[in-house]
């Protein structure tokens, strides 16, 4: 079953009477274990797509299935629970709570998790921080961490509820090239551990780390290719992953 | 567990902005503080007034010369000699509801003892006066009916007079002179303290009524007739009976008004407590308004807080907080803010009440139910004024909240 299945998605923003087609008939499916890079010029609709995937926003028309469940038409409360338990979102601007320790930041999703009664939030958060290599920075607050470290905390936060997919909207946009590489390597490692990842970028070299590259322009998918550099990864992915209806 | 966390988050947010939180709470602190202080002082002074009035005597009825008419000119209360010794006699003989009746003839005079002198009021009364007014003899004796008949020049001194004239030495048996009439001190009264009107009830000399009336005064004018009803329940009946007897005594026709005034102790108590009660209610209403203003202050700060923390709200929503979670968080914060203000207010109010009580020398009555009501009320203020900002926070769109700069 597809982790993500998007059918003829339309997202129209109305701004001052003018309609903007941020998504203009997008269909896409992503299988478990995939590592997808979404690329495209600024304003091409990448963030809009990610927000839809992340249940942060809803479609104007079309259908969105997450793990086989039809998300379009779900109420706010339900969407919040899905964001909480099935999705890990990583933002360009980190979006950590200021003046709050890394450990507490990572615990935040657990606080709103209604299904994890009896689990130890501190332990889970510490484990997640350990996975991103920040076991020794747990009590640091965001202001005491470098950009790369802050983004790792955000990734740990995305991991902590054991989500179906991690969505990262330009996660390296605020980082220098060295840390960019570190963070991308981390995503790659996580993907190799079996986590499904969708990552937005507009840097070609960042895209090379992914297994599959989806290119967008003006709210449409213009190409959807397996990444040449990662051709060997093909074998690792289940058959049928490749998107048939692209461009 | 979750609520515990909400409380923790709220406390953190309050502590992160200590100064602002304190200023926000100020309205509630002042409001609750003044309500508590006013209630405590109001109830305290009411209690004081009641005990003071009770100390005037038991089941007391006071008959003052009334608003009589003189050539069509209406005269004020007490300006005419419309009550007399004959009235006292009539009341004694004819009433069934009165336990004791005493006239009171008062002259203000310079009293001389040796080379000491003191201006005081000399009051001519009957022996019953002691029981009517709840005075007690500290040493010596009070005068008797016989002394009244013989117009004996006997004096019983109030504590203040005794101290002013004789200092530490024993006044019993000593001679004092009032308007050149020599009196013999036969007793000293126990201390009684201030009256509800604030005058010193120990600054007095009692002599037999006849002595005062004929030797010191004009031989007819009584200031007041004091009477004691047989019981509290009989106060009303006693008042009616006095009216009947005195109207008959004064031969008033049905069309004529009473030429005397009767005031009962219960009436005075009611009047006094009504007065302090109204005052307390009025001041409490003002305090309530300041509580309202405090609540609006909380709403204002919560709105600022919601705006300031829009991004935080977005982050919480992005990781799965429901609208209700956000709502609960801000509501809890408003309630805690208000409750802390309430607790500070109670502490301030009580300190103020006890401080003022000590300075003014009046009692302070602390009432647990008032305090609990204040706590409940401040929590209510938190809910009421926190609701709108909290709902505003809960209604934010996650993406817009995240984009907020
Ligand atoms: N909230 C919004 N209101 C109006 N227009 C929007 C909104 N969000 C995005 N858009 C428009 O939708 C288009 C796609 O935006 P976005 O998905 O953010 O692009 P990208 O992330 O690829 O740069 C842009 O033209 C943008 O102006
Ligand atoms: Mg974008």
């Amino acid at each position: 079953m597809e982790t993500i299945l998007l059918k003829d998605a339309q997202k129209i923003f109305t701004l001052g009477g003018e309609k903007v087609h941020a998504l203009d008939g997008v269909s896409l499916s992503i299988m478990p274990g995939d590592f997808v890079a979404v690329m495209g010029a600024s304003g091409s609709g990448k963030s809009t797509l990610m927000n839809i995937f992340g249940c942060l926003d809803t479609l104007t028309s079309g259908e969105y299935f997450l793990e086989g469940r039809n998300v379009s038409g779900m109420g706010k409360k339900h969407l919040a629970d899905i964001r909480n338990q099935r999705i890990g979102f990583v933002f360009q601007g980190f979006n950590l709570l200021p003046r709050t320790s890394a450990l507490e930041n990572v615990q935040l999703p657990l606080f709103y998790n209604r299904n994890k009664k009896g689990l130890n939030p501190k332990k889970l958060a510490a484990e997640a921080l350990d996975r991103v290599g920040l076991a020794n920075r747990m009590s640091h607050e965001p202001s005491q961490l470098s950009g790369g470290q802050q983004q790792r905390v955000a990734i740990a936060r995305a991991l902590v509820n054991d989500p179906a997919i991690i969505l990262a909207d330009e996660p390296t946009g605020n980082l220098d090239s060295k840390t960019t590489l570190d963070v991308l390597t981390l995503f790659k490692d996580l993907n190799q551990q079996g986590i499904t990842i969708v990552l937005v970028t507009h840097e070609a070299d960042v895209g090379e780390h992914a297994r599959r590259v989806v290119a967008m322009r003006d709210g449409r998918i213009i190409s959807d290719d397996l990444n040449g550099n990662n051709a060997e990864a093909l074998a690792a992915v289940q058959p049928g992953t490749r998107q048939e209806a692209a461009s | 567990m979750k609520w515990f966390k909400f409380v923790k988050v709220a406390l953190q947010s309050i502590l992160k902005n200590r100064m602002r939180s304190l200023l926000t709470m100020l309205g509630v602190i002042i409001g609750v503080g003044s309500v508590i202080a006013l209630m405590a002082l109001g109830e305290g002074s009411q209690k004081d007034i009641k005990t003071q009035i009770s100390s005037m005597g038991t089941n007391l009825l006071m008959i003052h010369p009334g608003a009589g008419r003189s050539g069509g000119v209406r005269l004020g209360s007490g300006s005419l000699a419309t009550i007399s010794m004959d009235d006292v006699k009539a009341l004694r003989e004819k009433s069934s509801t009165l336990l004791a009746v005493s006239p009171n003839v008062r002259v203000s005079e310079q009293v001389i003892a040796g080379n000491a002198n003191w201006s005081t009021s000399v009051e001519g009364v009957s022996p019953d006066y002691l029981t009517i007014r709840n005075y007690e003899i500290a040493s010596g004796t009070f005068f008797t009916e016989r002394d009244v008949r013989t117009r004996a020049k006997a004096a019983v001194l109030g504590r203040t007079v005794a101290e002013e004239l004789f200092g530490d030495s024993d006044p019993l048996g000593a001679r004092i002179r009032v308007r050149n009439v020599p009196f013999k001190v036969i007793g000293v009264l126990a201390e009684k303290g201030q009256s509800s009107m604030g005058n010193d009830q120990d600054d007095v000399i009692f002599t037999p009524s006849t002595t005062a009336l004929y030797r010191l005064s004009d031989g007819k004018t009584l200031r007041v007739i004091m009477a004691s009803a047989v019981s509290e329940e009989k106060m009303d009946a006693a008042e009616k009976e006095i009216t009947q007897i005195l109207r008959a005594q004064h031969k008033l026709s049905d069309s004529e008004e009473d030429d005397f005034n009767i005031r009962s102790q219960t009436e005075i108590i009611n009047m006094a407590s009504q007065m302090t009660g109204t005052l307390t209610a009025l001041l409490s209403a003002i305090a309530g308004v300041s509580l309202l203003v405090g609540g609006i202050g909380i709403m204002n700060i919560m709105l600022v807080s919601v705006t300031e923390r829009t991004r935080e709200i977005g982050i919480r929503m992005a990781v799965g907080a429901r609208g209700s979670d956000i709502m609960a968080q801000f509501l809890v914060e408003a309630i805690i803010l208000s409750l802390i203000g309430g607790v500070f207010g109670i502490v301030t109010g009580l300190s103020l009440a006890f401080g003022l009580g000590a300075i003014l020398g009046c009692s302070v009555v602390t009432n647990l139910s008032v305090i609990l009501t204040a706590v409940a009320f401040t929590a209510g203020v938190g809910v009421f004024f926190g609701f709108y900002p909290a709902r505003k926070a809960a209604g934010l769109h996650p993406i817009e909240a995240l984009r907020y700069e």
Side-chain angles (χ1 to χ4, degrees), chain A residues 112-168:
Chain A
Y112 296 111
N113 191 335
R114 288 168 161 82
N115 284 343
K116 288 222 166 147
K117 293 219 161 62
L119 284 181
N120 184 344
K122 232 176 213 148
K123 190 164 157 275
L124 285 173
E127 279 168 13
L129 278 169
D130 192 33
R131 267 175 102 175
V132 301
L134 282 180
N136 54 349
R137 293 282 189 283
M138 301 211 197
S139 54
H140 287 56
E141 294 178 3
S143 61
Q144 301 165 321
L145 294 168
S146 73
Q149 287 169 332
Q150 287 184 59
Q151 196 58 298
R152 281 162 188 273
V153 174
I155 294 169
R157 184 179 64 190
L159 282 170
V160 77
N161 260 337
D162 193 21
I165 191 164
I166 286 191
L167 304 165

Side-chain angles (χ1 to χ4, degrees), chain A residues 51 81 83-84 95 112, chain B residues 311 316-317 319 322 325 399:
Chain A
N51 292 339
D81 290 351
R83 284 200 296 275
N84 182 241
N95 277 336
Y112 296 111
Chain B
R311 218 180 154 79
R316 290 180 183 275
M317 285 178 158
V319 302
R322 292 181 184 174
D325 292 328
I399 305 253

Side-chain angles (χ1 to χ4, degrees), chain A residues 46-48 169-170 200:
Chain A
K46 307 182 297 292
S47 292
T48 308
D169 191 354
E170 300 196 40
V200 169

